[in-house]
Amino acid sequence: MSDEKKLILSGIQPTGTFTLGNYIGAVRNWGPLQDECRCFYFIADQHAITVKIEPAQLRQKTLEAYAQLMACGIDLNKSLIFIQSHVPTHAQLSWVLNCSTQFGELSRMTQFKDKSRKHPDDINAGLFDYPVLMAADILIYNADLVPVGVDQMQHLELARTIARRFNGRYGETFKIPEGYVPPVGAKVMSLQEPTKKMSKSDDNPNAVILILDDKDTIIRKFKRAVTDSESEIAFREGKDGINNLLTIYSAVTGRTIEESVREFDGQGYGTFKLAVGEAVADHLAPVREEYARLIADKAYLKECYTRCAGEALRYSYRTLNKVYKKVGFVPTELR
Ligand code: TYM
């Protein structure tokens, strides 16, 4: 891999099986970048403990997330997939970046406000500080491009602000990263409340398609998807349920929204929902098969995440050492 290639970085939390939202909005766009770019992807286990999660479950989910990323088309001969807690430089940099981040900025993050409302008994400092760790994840590699869904753009904007502020104070250190959101599917909505994003933590299983759901489950969930009381398949304001289904259908078939609308012209919602369910199930079948193969081979997974973390760590030390020097920490031979 040459250093002139653009550097791509993105992460995903291992809080549950990936949803169709994670897949369409983010993960499936990661594989195609790896031929032209240098790609670093990781499982954000340190972000995951900002809300309560059983340790045994976190361990299990982290390995499952790792295998899911591989099954979604990321090739470890071209890209790295590592586990965040294996690369301590992220957390080390985040401490320094904390000191270039304002309390008021973190208070304005909508995800912090949402999660505080959802977990009023555990508004911990990690939840508040989460976007700074995320900024460190990105800036430690001097990433050029960060492919994410729309819900992460506010955090990315903050990472850019922190990088500019640090550069202003200590001299050019960080590249200012750009976000990349896909043209279709940057925000996949809940199947039950189509004004809300599809989320791993939704309590209603019918609202969410998981990428490892079997065909019957996928079709059943789409059949129950909430739409509207009209009967026309059209993409327009006020038709949130249908807009979401058209978006999903277009994303998995590669057709434009207009082509999809034309295809179902004059047909009923029942036929349309079934077609969307079948298209999604067929699209995800190879992911499910590959995942089953990978998760059964724990020794291979370990070999992969160990090698990748080693490479990521070596690469990230370059930035950390530079930052430590700029802020005035006494150099050491230990790193
Ligand atoms: P997470 O785990 O919530 O989601 C992973 C990715 O999936 C996208 N996404 C969606 N896209 C479209 N529609 C949806 N309904 C939907 N739900 C989720 C997210 O935008 C994200 O791209 N903080 C991040 C993880 C992270 C990270 C990073 C990402 C930690 N450090 C550094 C990029 C760079 C998160 O919680 O994503």
Side-chain angles (χ1 to χ4, degrees):
M1 287 193 251
S2 89
D3 265 359
E4 295 91 65
K5 285 184 170 179
K6 277 202 185 316
L7 200 141
I8 309 292
L9 175 119
S10 203
I12 185 160
Q13 291 198 62
T15 38
T17 303
F18 300 169
T19 69
L20 189 62
N22 295 133
Y23 180 78
I24 292 177
V27 173
R28 72 132 179 194
N29 308 309
W30 297 357
L33 292 164
Q34 61 196 350
D35 287 322
E36 284 130 60
C37 307
R38 182 164 196 181
C39 299
F40 288 56
Y41 300 122
F42 69 97
I43 310 299
D45 57 344
Q46 289 173 303
H47 281 99
I49 61 166
T50 56
V51 296
K52 284 198 188 98
I53 179 163
E54 282 299 318
Q57 211 193 3
L58 178 60
R59 229 174 339 262
Q60 176 70 17
K61 298 262 173 228
T62 300
L63 292 179
E64 289 174 5
Y66 195 93
Q68 284 171 63
L69 269 194
M70 286 178 80
C72 287
I74 296 162
D75 176 355
L76 293 192
N77 292 314
K78 299 177 183 162
S79 308
L80 298 182
I81 309 177
F82 57 89
I83 297 171
Q84 187 183 29
S85 62
H86 292 178
V87 186
T89 43
H90 296 216
Q92 288 171 298
L93 178 63
S94 80
W95 180 255
V96 177
L97 297 182
N98 272 329
C99 305
S100 286
T101 310
Q102 297 302 305
F103 182 89
E105 287 170 325
L106 293 176
S107 316
R108 284 193 288 276
M109 294 291 114
T110 50
Q111 203 166 77
F112 171 68
K113 291 193 235 168
D114 290 349
K115 288 198 178 172
S116 306
R117 234 173 276 131
K118 215 169 160 191
H119 307 278
D121 56 331
D122 188 20
I123 307 176
N124 61 75
L127 191 64
F128 186 68
D129 200 33
Y130 178 117
V132 182
L133 179 58
M134 180 161 161
D137 297 334
I138 299 168
L139 301 178
I140 194 93
Y141 300 104
N142 273 310
D144 294 287
L145 206 65
V146 183
V148 284
V150 157
D151 64 325
Q152 293 301 320
M153 282 308 277
Q154 193 187 29
H155 291 160
L156 181 70
E157 203 42 63
L158 180 64
R160 288 160 56 87
T161 303
I162 297 171
R164 279 196 215 97
R165 187 173 296 140
F166 188 97
N167 287 351
R169 189 163 166 199
Y170 297 103
E172 271 319 294
T173 310
F174 297 120
K175 246 186 209 168
I176 310 300
E178 301 287 334
Y180 168 78
V181 297
V184 177
K187 190 169 185 186
V188 175
M189 306 309 241
S190 151
L191 296 189
Q192 291 298 313
E193 286 172 79
T195 50
K196 229 178 70 179
K197 82 162 183 178
M198 185 181 283
S199 161
K200 287 188 206 102
S201 57
D202 202 308
D203 298 326
N204 181 351
N206 287 322
V208 182
I209 301 289
L210 302 177
I211 63 165
L212 303 177
D213 279 345
D214 61 35
K215 185 164 188 169
D216 289 349
T217 306
I218 293 177
I219 289 178
R220 181 169 38 79
K221 288 180 181 176
F222 275 108
K223 278 187 179 161
R224 290 184 188 166
V226 169
T227 47
D228 52 55
S229 53
E230 301 173 359
S231 58
E232 189 197 0
I233 297 169
F235 193 96
R236 65 165 180 263
E237 221 185 306
K239 290 181 79 73
D240 300 307
I242 293 292
N243 293 349
N244 192 35
L245 296 183
L246 280 167
T247 301
I248 293 171
Y249 186 76
S250 303
V252 298
T253 58
R255 284 170 214 166
T256 63
I257 300 273
E258 295 72 40
E259 284 165 348
S260 304
V261 168
R262 236 175 288 128
E263 185 180 338
F264 292 100
D265 186 32
Q267 301 200 39
Y269 283 0
T271 319
F272 174 52
K273 287 181 184 178
L274 182 63
V276 181
E278 279 180 341
V280 169
D282 291 347
H283 183 90
L284 291 176
V287 174
R288 223 155 70 88
E289 273 169 38
E290 182 62 2
Y291 170 78
R293 196 182 68 75
L294 288 163
I295 199 65
D297 194 348
K298 298 283 189 311
Y300 177 61
L301 291 179
K302 185 174 178 189
E303 191 185 309
C304 295
Y305 62 67
T306 305
R307 173 180 67 79
C308 290
E311 283 189 39
L313 186 62
R314 272 190 298 283
Y315 191 92
S316 61
Y317 262 132
R318 291 197 221 166
T319 311
L320 190 74
N321 286 333
K322 193 165 161 189
V323 167
Y324 274 12
K325 196 166 160 203
K326 293 226 172 184
V327 300
F329 293 163
V330 173
T332 166
E333 306 286 293
L334 296 174
R335 285 188 303 272

